[in-house]
Amino acid sequence: MPPFDIPEGDPFGPHNLPYGVFSLPGSAERTVGVRLGDHVLDAGAAARALGSPHAALLARPTLNPLLAAGRTTWSEVRRTLTEAVTDPAHRAALEPLLRPLSSVTLHLPFEVADYVDFYASENHARNVGQIFRPDAADSLTPNWKHLPIGYHGRSGTVIVSGTDVVRPSGQRKGPADPTPVFGPSVRLDIEAEVGFVVGVPSAMGEPVAAGAFRDHVFGLCLLNDWSARDVQAWEYVPLGPFLGKSFATSVSAWITPLEALEEARVAPPERTQPLLPYLDDSAAEPAGYDLRISVAINGHVVSEPPFASMYWTAAQQLAHMTVNGASLRTGDLYGSGTVSGPAPDQRGSLLELTWNGRDALELPDGKRTFLEDGDEVTLSAWAPGSGGLRVGLGVVSGRIVAG
């Protein structure tokens, strides 16, 4: 199909235009691209052809220069690219710059600075509490409704969709084991999440207000924060996740700009505890996002978590992440935490879907409690756009290989 002949309703039409980084066959040179249907447009070459003053930002091997340029530039670049792919007068110049997705290699689209992961789904937190603290009066920890709980992860093991995930090894100790043992994880899990990509940095010692979210955050991507539950269970007291989480975090190859998601903004769930002023969003514009996520194992859908149910918003997470004076850097990535809805088929981890291994999933190729070698997990998602269109968020996938 010719690159401009996009089917009506395509989730990657001109209303979307997510950013990525690609290379051509036989070449090590990487360049910024935007997705249009099932093609990718060389964004730098297109900007040069159109005489854009921002061409230099796009003719780079990573999105970081564009991320750092700020909200005004983001809008101008998006407006230029939208005009370029919708005005028939530009087709002759742009058509040679469009490549079929099947013919290019997609890369990690930005250089990750710091990585933070949160715990923002009340449904997920309550499920985990009920699994591990079944006799507790409240399945939530006392601090959960007062602040977005999070931890600092490892940015060096953030990988792009399609990269194999090597089964991690570490110490583990079951309740009946007399001593810990070392070996490959036998309780390897997923966490269906959304990642937010920081563009504009901030100065150390200067907190970023929740209302400044869209001045600092460029866009979002799908994220799978793989988890070795057995390693994590033995190591995390008293300091939290470490080796059970740091071995791999997969992100989608496409970063969807926040501007493409204006129609998907929704109010978060009702607050059931008063919030401190820096987190209080009672009078703020809606900061939640209606994202429809699907989780598949070996092509079989096992869950459809709704992101609109997340209790803590990305804006609140940004405010909390910096309220102590911690600075932002271009390329910072923070994960939403596992997305889980209220229904059993909306849970975003195998820990919840199998209730810690008690209830095996029935898949076409056999039962699963946790992941086996050779299993491929794929997260996909879309958001509502203007005029009834869907905004595609792409996929993030990874296949488990033996360590």
Side-chain angles (χ1 to χ4, degrees):
M1 179 178 292
F4 285 106
D5 292 342
I6 301 171
E8 184 177 355
D10 191 302
F12 293 98
H15 63 291
N16 189 347
L17 300 182
Y19 294 86
V21 168
F22 72 98
S23 62
L24 299 175
S27 173
E29 184 178 353
R30 301 182 181 188
T31 189
V32 172
V34 292
R35 181 170 176 176
L36 183 65
D38 58 1
H39 285 72
V40 57
L41 173 68
D42 184 329
R48 287 195 303 272
L50 298 172
S52 169
H54 304 301
L57 289 176
L58 299 171
R60 304 295 290 273
T62 175
L63 285 175
N64 289 58
L66 176 62
L67 299 181
R71 187 174 177 183
T72 298
T73 298
W74 303 339
S75 294
E76 291 173 354
V77 169
R78 177 171 170 78
R79 188 162 50 248
T80 297
L81 290 171
T82 302
E83 179 186 347
V85 300
T86 55
D87 187 343
H90 299 309
R91 289 197 172 190
L94 296 188
E95 193 148 0
L97 307 178
L98 282 154
R99 304 280 183 165
L101 278 173
S102 59
S103 71
V104 304
T105 299
L106 298 174
H107 303 278
L108 189 66
F110 62 101
E111 296 174 4
V112 183
D114 287 310
Y115 170 53
V116 174
D117 192 40
F118 283 97
Y119 190 53
S121 165
E122 181 175 357
N123 297 302
H124 173 67
R126 287 198 179 279
N127 287 337
V128 172
Q130 291 167 19
I131 289 171
F132 292 116
R133 300 183 300 277
D135 298 324
D138 189 347
S139 54
L140 294 180
T141 54
N143 60 349
W144 201 92
K145 285 292 183 82
H146 296 278
L147 56 85
I149 296 172
Y151 74 95
H152 285 271
R154 185 178 180 88
S155 60
T157 49
V158 175
I159 54 178
V160 73
S161 174
T163 306
D164 286 347
V165 175
V166 178
R167 182 178 295 273
S169 291
Q171 288 193 32
R172 61 179 191 270
K173 181 181 179 300
D177 296 336
T179 58
V181 298
F182 178 86
S185 170
V186 296
R187 297 170 72 84
L188 188 55
D189 199 358
I190 64 168
E191 291 192 351
E193 303 192 24
V194 174
F196 293 86
V197 181
V198 172
V200 176
S202 65
M204 190 171 178
E206 298 181 6
V208 176
F213 166 69
R214 288 191 290 169
D215 293 326
H216 288 271
V217 173
F218 174 79
L220 57 78
C221 60
L222 295 178
L223 185 151
N224 185 352
D225 199 27
W226 308 88
S227 298
R229 299 294 183 188
D230 44 359
V231 175
Q232 183 178 351
W234 172 236
E235 73 179 1
Y236 85 107
V237 178
L239 293 182
F242 188 43
L243 299 183
K245 302 285 287 184
S246 63
F247 59 95
T249 300
S250 296
V251 295
S252 51
W254 300 106
I255 310 300
T256 304
L258 294 183
E259 283 193 49
L261 296 166
E262 284 297 300
E263 298 293 327
R265 293 170 61 199
V266 294
E270 181 183 359
R271 309 306 183 187
T272 56
Q273 293 286 343
L275 299 178
L276 291 170
Y278 79 97
L279 292 172
D280 185 1
D281 60 355
S282 57
E285 60 183 8
Y289 284 94
D290 181 9
L291 313 178
R292 322 290 178 88
I293 303 170
S294 180
V295 181
I297 300 176
N298 301 331
H300 180 73
V301 174
V302 297
S303 178
E304 294 186 322
F307 191 76
S309 67
M310 300 295 275
Y311 190 87
W312 295 104
T313 69
Q316 290 171 315
Q317 291 168 339
L318 187 75
H320 186 66
M321 190 164 62
T322 61
V323 74
N324 66 344
S327 57
L328 297 175
R329 295 195 292 170
T330 297
D332 280 355
L333 171 69
Y334 62 100
S336 63
T338 304
V339 183
S340 290
D345 61 354
Q346 295 177 330
R347 295 168 179 169
S349 67
L350 289 172
L351 176 71
E352 299 165 87
L353 286 166
T354 70
W355 213 251
N356 200 26
R358 184 192 68 189
D359 307 320
L361 290 178
E362 297 281 354
L363 300 181
D365 56 349
K367 295 183 178 181
R368 293 291 189 283
T369 52
F370 293 94
L371 296 173
E372 298 181 0
D373 291 348
D375 283 346
E376 183 172 20
V377 178
T378 301
L379 312 183
S380 57
W382 61 274
S386 60
L389 293 173
R390 292 187 176 190
V391 178
L393 302 184
V395 301
V396 57
S397 65
R399 183 173 63 92
I400 305 302
V401 297

